[in-house]
Amino acid sequence: MSSVESHQEQLSQSDPSPSPKSCSSFELIDMDPGSLYEPVSPHWFYCKIIDSKETWIPFNSEDSQQLEEAYGSGKDCNGRVVATDGGRYDVHLGERMRYAVYWDELASEVRRCTWFYKGDKDNKYVPYSESFSQVLEETYMLAVTLDEWKKKLESPNREIIILHNPKLMVHYQPVAGSDEWGSTPTEQGRPRTVKRGVENISVDIHCGEPLQIDHLVFVVHGIGPACDLRFRSIVQCVNDFRSVSLNLLQTHFKKAQENQQIGRVEFLPVNWHSPLHSTGVDVDLQRITLPSINRLRHFTNDTILDVFFYNSPTYCQTIVDTVVSEMNRIYTLFLQRNPDFKGGVSIAGHSLGSLILFDILTNQKDSLGDIDSEKDLLNIVMDQGDTLTLEEDLKKLQLSEFFNIFEKEKVDKEALALCTDRDLQEMGIPLGPRRKILNYFRTRKNSMGINRPTLQSVSGANIPKESKLGSDTDDTRNEDYLDVGIGQVSVKYPRLIYKPEIFFAFGSPIGMFLTVRGLKRIDPNYKFPTCKGFFNIYHPFDPVAYRIEPMVVPEVEFEPMLIPHHKGRKRMHLELREGLTRMSMDLKNNLLGSLRMAWKSFTRASYPALQASETAEESEAEPESSSEKPSDVNTEETSVSVKEEVLPINVGMLNGGQRIDYVLQEKPIESFNEYLFALQSHLCYWESEDTVLLVLKEIYQTQGVFLDQPLQ
């Protein structure tokens, strides 16, 4: 430093007005050399594999600051864990790895980044390793301090980096097969740009999420492992849904956020596809799958067959067990990590996932009293004409050797009547005896009139007998499985450890499945035992979606509720279409009125002048009245239609007396061809602002928080 200062003094004495060539010397004279160097500000990134390529994604500013504080705290990084991304991921500082908390996901590498170079094919910048970034930073510091540039470094990958000046730093890749004489850096292909500090590269860094969580929503996917046209997983799609919700909270709930009334809604995915296909069924299917059109058959086995799995007693049990156990596990873990959480819980399902949730909610029990009443019902029926003990029944079936197993498991006749094939299998009973036991007890229960509590007995709903299974004669066709009231195969529905507040169904086939199962009507008084709200949300071109309200009120035809556009009003093309329809009706009415007036004047006889003047007045009034008549009719029709929209329609208690069916507004481009956008319409909900806003509006209404401006 002293030599540099003496050099500056010599320059200042010899040349008080330096030439343009000595610009750097002039800068050094003007300020302290040490003040030119400022340490680089690090930012933390994590690596994700996207389309088989490594992509480095920055943490949001709050998470990066937390990681930097933990890194610079002076404590040993080994064993230090920092929660990031709203608590959904944990970063282990010592390992430099990022792990998902609530679901299974490959761990991601984490890096403290200061220096970057531009990638090969895209314009995204890639961070150097922490060790080499430190070498680059030290070299840069010396170059700035001593004003000595054109520094050359070699990376661990034998790549050359040259620091020409603070604004020009390049990275050269080695050329494969260079001769023995070597090659200079300028001959090694196209140079890449090198940048120092995250502020000098183009990357979106978000501010972070509110710490306060007001509500928790579990999201269950439909068929297959992919949830959109880009073949992304349920985790990625729910990430989009959450991002849209955070943006809408800032724009539509701004006042509530400024007053610190609300924080955010947490959306967590629930995956049941992977556990189902890990049971070995894929291997069994592969043995019987034809070798032709391999990709199509693989797609069918991996996606469409999920519908058939759900209609199979064995795999249906696996699916509902997985969904409920996952939601219970995640909820318990969430409470452990968020002990101050006081909000409610809602659930959402897409496609087949909504049907799974509907069946689970239908078979929940509101209190322990329902379980007791079910046991009492079985006790009463078992006592009527059934004096044999379990040991005597097994002896009658020549299966006495299994009595010790039941005695060890404390299974009596009541418990055995509720056991499924899976339960007996877990006890170690072979297939043949299992079938004999199940068939024996099922036959005895059917002969005595024992049925599993139906929708009516479980929930207290008053559903007519013909609405449950179609007609009285249908009772004879259900001897192969126990009746659960909605025609579903017999499975043992586990209980949720919480009561959901609202159930949102996206692109749901619930109505179709209930109809196919034989349910003709849902009783208006029926409601879920543990869930108050139910919203059936769908796109008008969604080929999988069906309505629910016509099953509650079949005698009345009415349109579903139109979901407002998130920017207010209707979409422009819908307003234009309605305006043209209205204008054509007005033109038609006015034209008919004018023709009617002309015909009357043509057929009217001649009168004296006095009478003619009176008649003229009448004729002037007549066209008004005649032209008003059709418009009056039109006004009445309009008022009736307005009344139909304004007046509440009674659609039962399934959604607490509110409307159930809600339809999205199609986009202008979608209205050109319904068939072209049909598949896309079934997968549009993850990024739909209108859908997310409806979900947020209904959730926050339960907390007394409303939109800044009501949408029309």
Side-chain angles (χ1 to χ4, degrees):
M1 296 293 293
S2 59
S3 61
V4 174
E5 290 174 355
S6 61
H7 177 65
Q8 294 173 16
E9 291 175 0
Q10 293 173 4
L11 285 174
S12 61
Q13 292 173 1
S14 62
D15 190 3
S17 56
S19 64
K21 293 183 180 179
S22 60
C23 179
S24 59
S25 300
F26 178 77
E27 291 175 358
L28 287 171
I29 295 167
D30 197 40
M31 60 185 71
D32 184 25
S35 66
L36 286 174
Y37 172 75
E38 292 183 3
V40 65
S41 298
H43 195 93
W44 291 75
F45 282 65
Y46 63 91
C47 183
K48 292 282 288 185
I49 306 297
I50 301 176
D51 297 331
S52 302
K53 293 191 303 182
E54 288 188 353
T55 302
W56 287 90
I57 302 172
F59 285 96
N60 63 58
S61 54
E62 291 182 2
D63 289 343
S64 180
Q65 185 177 353
Q66 284 187 3
L67 290 167
E68 185 63 21
E69 289 175 357
Y71 172 81
S73 62
K75 298 178 182 178
D76 186 12
C77 287
N78 293 327
R80 291 295 301 274
V81 178
V82 179
T84 62
D85 299 274
R88 296 180 296 275
Y89 289 89
D90 282 343
V91 172
H92 294 241
L93 274 182
E95 302 176 27
R96 291 292 198 276
M97 297 299 287
R98 173 178 176 264
Y99 297 93
V101 174
Y102 298 108
W103 55 83
D104 292 331
E105 184 179 309
L106 290 175
S108 306
E109 182 186 351
V110 173
R111 191 173 290 180
R112 182 177 181 263
C113 305
T114 52
W115 285 75
F116 306 84
Y117 65 91
K118 188 172 285 189
D120 290 330
K121 298 179 181 178
D122 50 16
N123 291 324
K124 294 181 180 179
Y125 281 88
V126 180
Y128 288 103
S129 66
E130 292 186 32
S131 58
F132 188 65
S133 293
Q134 188 173 355
V135 173
L136 283 169
E137 184 64 19
E138 291 173 355
T139 306
Y140 177 85
M141 181 183 67
L142 289 173
V144 170
T145 306
L146 301 176
D147 193 27
E148 296 178 359
W149 292 94
K150 294 191 180 288
K151 296 283 185 180
K152 184 191 297 184
L153 296 92
E154 185 174 347
S155 73
N157 298 331
R158 307 282 307 211
E159 297 175 348
I160 304 298
I161 295 92
I162 300 179
L163 310 183
H164 292 284
N165 58 57
K167 295 185 178 180
L168 179 60
M169 295 174 281
V170 291
H171 175 127
Y172 295 96
Q173 286 181 292
V175 176
S178 58
D179 56 18
E180 58 185 4
W181 296 98
S183 58
T184 61
T186 54
E187 299 170 347
Q188 294 185 355
R190 186 177 177 182
R192 302 193 216 173
T193 306
V194 176
K195 294 291 184 181
R196 174 179 178 265
V198 71
E199 62 274 2
N200 293 318
I201 64 174
S202 56
V203 62
D204 293 330
I205 299 176
H206 302 286
C207 295
E209 304 174 14
L211 295 177
Q212 177 186 337
I213 299 176
D214 306 316
H215 203 86
L216 177 63
V217 180
F218 293 110
V219 185
V220 180
H221 65 85
I223 62 172
C227 296
D228 67 352
L229 291 176
R230 287 175 281 175
F231 299 99
R232 297 185 305 165
S233 66
I234 180 64
V235 173
Q236 295 170 304
C237 290
V238 172
N239 286 344
D240 275 352
F241 203 87
R242 188 187 307 108
S243 299
V244 173
S245 74
L246 291 172
N247 293 332
L248 289 174
L249 284 174
Q250 295 176 358
T251 56
H252 290 70
F253 293 87
K254 192 173 183 180
K255 293 179 182 177
Q257 278 198 335
E258 289 175 350
N259 297 332
Q260 296 184 346
Q261 287 181 272
I262 62 172
R264 64 183 174 93
V265 177
E266 180 63 280
F267 297 90
L268 296 178
V270 177
N271 182 14
W272 55 266
H273 181 270
S274 300
L276 170 67
H277 287 262
S278 62
T279 57
V281 66
D282 286 357
V283 178
D284 298 335
L285 284 172
Q286 191 60 38
R287 284 199 295 266
I288 60 175
T289 301
L290 300 180
S292 58
I293 52 172
N294 186 40
R295 291 186 179 179
L296 180 58
R297 296 188 193 278
H298 175 73
F299 173 79
T300 302
N301 290 351
D302 209 30
T303 55
I304 300 175
L305 285 189
D306 284 348
V307 179
F308 298 97
F309 283 138
Y310 189 63
N311 286 314
S312 159
T314 302
Y315 295 107
C316 179
Q317 186 69 61
T318 302
I319 292 172
V320 296
D321 285 347
T322 302
V323 170
V324 174
S325 63
E326 273 294 285
M327 289 198 291
N328 288 342
R329 179 189 67 82
I330 296 173
Y331 180 69
T332 304
L333 182 58
F334 179 82
L335 291 182
Q336 291 174 359
R337 295 175 64 90
N338 301 274
D340 298 330
F341 176 71
K342 304 297 181 185
V345 184
S346 293
I347 56 178
H350 176 243
S351 189
L352 182 64
S354 63
L355 177 67
I356 297 169
L357 291 177
F358 183 89
D359 289 339
I360 290 171
L361 288 179
T362 301
N363 290 274
Q364 293 298 294
K365 294 174 176 61
D366 191 16
S367 63
L368 294 176
D370 293 321
I371 301 177
D372 296 335
S373 64
E374 182 178 347
K375 289 181 178 178
D376 293 339
L377 174 65
L378 290 171
N379 285 334
I380 293 171
V381 180
M382 284 292 182
D383 290 341
Q384 294 176 356
D386 188 10
T387 57
L388 295 177
T389 63
L390 176 60
E391 186 175 8
E392 291 171 340
D393 280 329
L394 292 174
K395 187 176 181 180
K396 185 177 178 181
L397 293 172
Q398 298 180 349
L399 299 174
S400 301
E401 65 270 23
F402 299 109
F403 177 70
N404 292 333
I405 297 177
F406 292 127
E407 193 174 27
K408 180 182 177 182
E409 296 289 340
K410 296 183 179 180
V411 174
D412 54 10
K413 293 183 70 171
E414 297 173 24
L416 189 55
L418 296 171
C419 284
T420 62
D421 184 82
R422 178 183 288 268
D423 297 329
L424 298 180
Q425 186 177 1
E426 290 175 353
M427 294 181 198
I429 299 176
L431 177 62
R434 287 203 312 268
R435 293 300 181 192
K436 291 174 71 175
I437 292 170
L438 289 173
N439 182 63
Y440 175 78
F441 280 90
R442 189 172 294 164
T443 304
R444 291 182 65 82
K445 283 189 290 184
N446 287 338
S447 64
M448 293 180 182
I450 302 175
N451 274 328
R452 183 175 177 172
T454 63
L455 265 173
Q456 180 176 354
S457 60
V458 168
S459 61
N462 186 19
I463 298 182
K465 194 169 188 178
E466 62 271 19
S467 70
K468 287 185 287 185
L469 295 174
S471 65
D472 295 340
T473 58
D474 293 338
D475 292 341
T476 57
R477 67 184 182 184
N478 296 300
E479 294 177 356
D480 294 335
Y481 56 83
L482 299 174
D483 175 22
V484 296
I486 52 174
Q488 173 64 327
V489 292
S490 174
V491 292
K492 199 172 182 178
Y493 286 93
R495 293 186 64 176
L496 296 169
I497 59 177
Y498 53 85
K499 293 184 179 180
E501 293 193 10
I502 307 175
F503 167 35
F504 299 99
F506 306 138
S508 172
I510 292 173
M512 180 269 290
F513 270 85
L514 294 182
T515 303
V516 169
R517 290 173 182 176
L519 188 71
K520 293 185 177 180
R521 182 180 179 184
I522 299 174
D523 191 274
N525 295 322
Y526 174 70
K527 57 185 177 181
F528 295 124
T530 59
C531 184
K532 298 176 182 177
F534 174 38
F535 290 85
N536 181 37
I537 302 168
Y538 61 92
H539 190 283
F541 303 157
D542 189 341
V544 181
Y546 290 82
R547 291 192 63 183
I548 299 292
E549 290 174 339
M551 297 190 70
V552 183
V553 194
E555 63 276 0
V556 181
E557 290 188 7
F558 52 93
E559 295 295 322
M561 292 291 289
L562 187 68
I563 299 176
H565 191 259
H566 65 283
K567 293 183 179 179
R569 299 181 62 83
K570 293 182 180 178
R571 291 185 183 270
M572 187 179 295
H573 70 287
L574 295 179
E575 287 193 347
L576 181 62
R577 183 191 303 166
E578 291 182 1
L580 290 173
T581 305
R582 205 163 33 242
M583 187 174 68
S584 65
M585 289 296 296
D586 292 341
L587 287 173
K588 179 183 175 184
N589 292 331
N590 290 331
L591 180 61
L592 289 174
S594 301
L595 289 174
R596 192 180 294 112
M597 179 188 66
W599 177 254
K600 286 186 177 180
S601 62
F602 176 74
T603 56
R604 185 180 296 119
S606 59
Y607 291 96
L610 181 61
Q611 293 180 352
S613 62
E614 293 175 357
T615 310
E617 292 176 1
E618 292 175 1
S619 63
E620 285 177 4
E622 234 174 288
E624 290 180 8
S625 61
S626 61
S627 62
E628 282 175 3
K629 282 179 183 176
S631 63
D632 287 343
V633 173
N634 187 35
T635 306
E636 289 175 3
E637 291 175 356
T638 308
S639 63
V640 169
S641 63
V642 170
K643 285 179 182 177
E644 285 181 357
E645 292 178 2
V646 174
L647 290 178
I649 300 173
N650 184 10
V651 290
M653 299 305 297
L654 197 53
N655 191 22
Q658 298 183 66
R659 294 291 300 273
I660 301 170
D661 293 335
Y662 287 79
V663 60
L664 291 165
Q665 301 178 37
E666 73 272 17
K667 296 178 181 178
I669 192 173
E670 294 172 343
S671 61
F672 286 111
N673 193 323
E674 299 177 1
Y675 295 95
L676 187 62
F677 294 94
L679 180 58
Q680 179 179 330
S681 300
H682 183 58
L683 306 171
C684 73
Y685 306 99
W686 307 115
E687 298 176 357
S688 168
E689 291 96 340
D690 300 350
T691 302
V692 179
L693 187 58
L694 177 64
V695 171
L696 293 176
K697 181 173 75 74
E698 295 300 329
I699 285 175
Y700 277 112
Q701 274 186 1
T702 63
Q703 302 178 15
V705 178
F706 302 93
L707 293 167
D708 293 341
Q709 293 180 351
L711 298 177
Q712 297 179 352

